[in-house]
Amino acid sequence: MKTIITYGTFDILHRGHINLLRRARELGDRLIVGLSSDEFNAGKHKSSLLNYENRKYVLESIRYVDMVFAESTWDQKIGDILTYKADIFVMGDDWEGKFDSLKEHCEVIYLPRTQNISTTQIKAELEPSSL
Ligand code: C2G
């Protein structure tokens, strides 16, 4: 049973997120996702439109996702990798190199980001001034 682990905010899910989740899941037999809590998002200077419960509900409905747990701190990843016996840690390559320290515990793979789509861009287009 090869376990893949990834993390993110996954607010207003779009093709870029799904592409990442699909490719991550294809690397193994199950994919588990550390979903940023609302408080952790604040620490990332990100405010998600949907709160944690809503983002979790949506993520759990995705066919590529087997389990969702809360991401509350930057330094919980090693514990998560050991707890869930993760074999591969996957992130989009906007994070290239940032999590190489995890290579002591599991394989680390950065996948190319999907171009020309982002939650930030979607939010901007929803702004009344842009409608
Ligand atoms: N992503 C992507 N293509 C996009 C947008 C996002 O591949 N067009 C990927 C990101 O690279 C990331 C994942 O989708 O791997 C989730 O993106 P976000 O929800 O923006 O997550 P982020 O804020 O990067 O949080 O501890 C790690 C952080 O929680 C990552």
Side-chain angles (χ1 to χ4, degrees):
M1 164 74 80
K2 183 177 281 191
T3 296
I4 316 297
I5 192 168
T6 190
Y7 294 78
T9 298
F10 296 103
D11 187 29
I12 315 178
L13 226 51
H14 55 67
R15 182 167 46 88
H17 295 132
I18 301 299
N19 260 344
L20 187 285
L21 295 167
R22 175 180 51 75
R23 287 173 294 163
R25 174 65 181 74
E26 286 170 353
L27 291 171
D29 305 299
R30 74 169 182 156
L31 172 62
I32 60 176
V33 182
L35 182 64
S36 308
S37 67
D38 297 328
E39 298 74 20
F40 184 61
N41 268 338
K44 287 196 280 188
H45 308 297
K46 279 185 121 170
S47 64
S48 58
L49 206 61
L50 299 176
N51 67 17
Y52 178 79
E53 284 315 310
N54 275 299
R55 290 181 287 118
K56 184 170 190 280
Y57 189 89
V58 171
L59 214 46
E60 285 174 335
S61 72
I62 303 295
R63 71 177 74 166
Y64 306 117
V65 175
D66 295 284
M67 196 265 281
V68 179
F69 61 95
E71 175 187 35
S72 314
T73 65
W74 285 109
D75 54 17
Q76 72 179 71
K77 293 183 175 67
I78 294 175
D80 295 338
I81 288 165
L82 297 175
T83 301
Y84 298 114
K85 298 181 175 54
D87 300 283
I88 306 178
F89 169 89
V90 171
M91 286 301 291
D93 63 4
D94 46 317
W95 292 93
E96 184 80 38
K98 298 287 193 308
F99 298 110
D100 287 358
S101 62
L102 298 176
K103 287 180 176 177
E104 288 176 50
H105 306 282
C106 65
E107 194 178 343
V108 173
I109 295 179
Y110 301 101
L111 296 172
R113 255 179 89 88
T114 301
Q115 297 305 308
N116 306 319
I117 192 160
S118 71
T119 300
T120 308
Q121 181 188 339
I122 294 168
K123 282 182 179 175
E125 284 162 22
L126 288 173
E127 285 296 312
S129 55
S130 66
L131 296 178

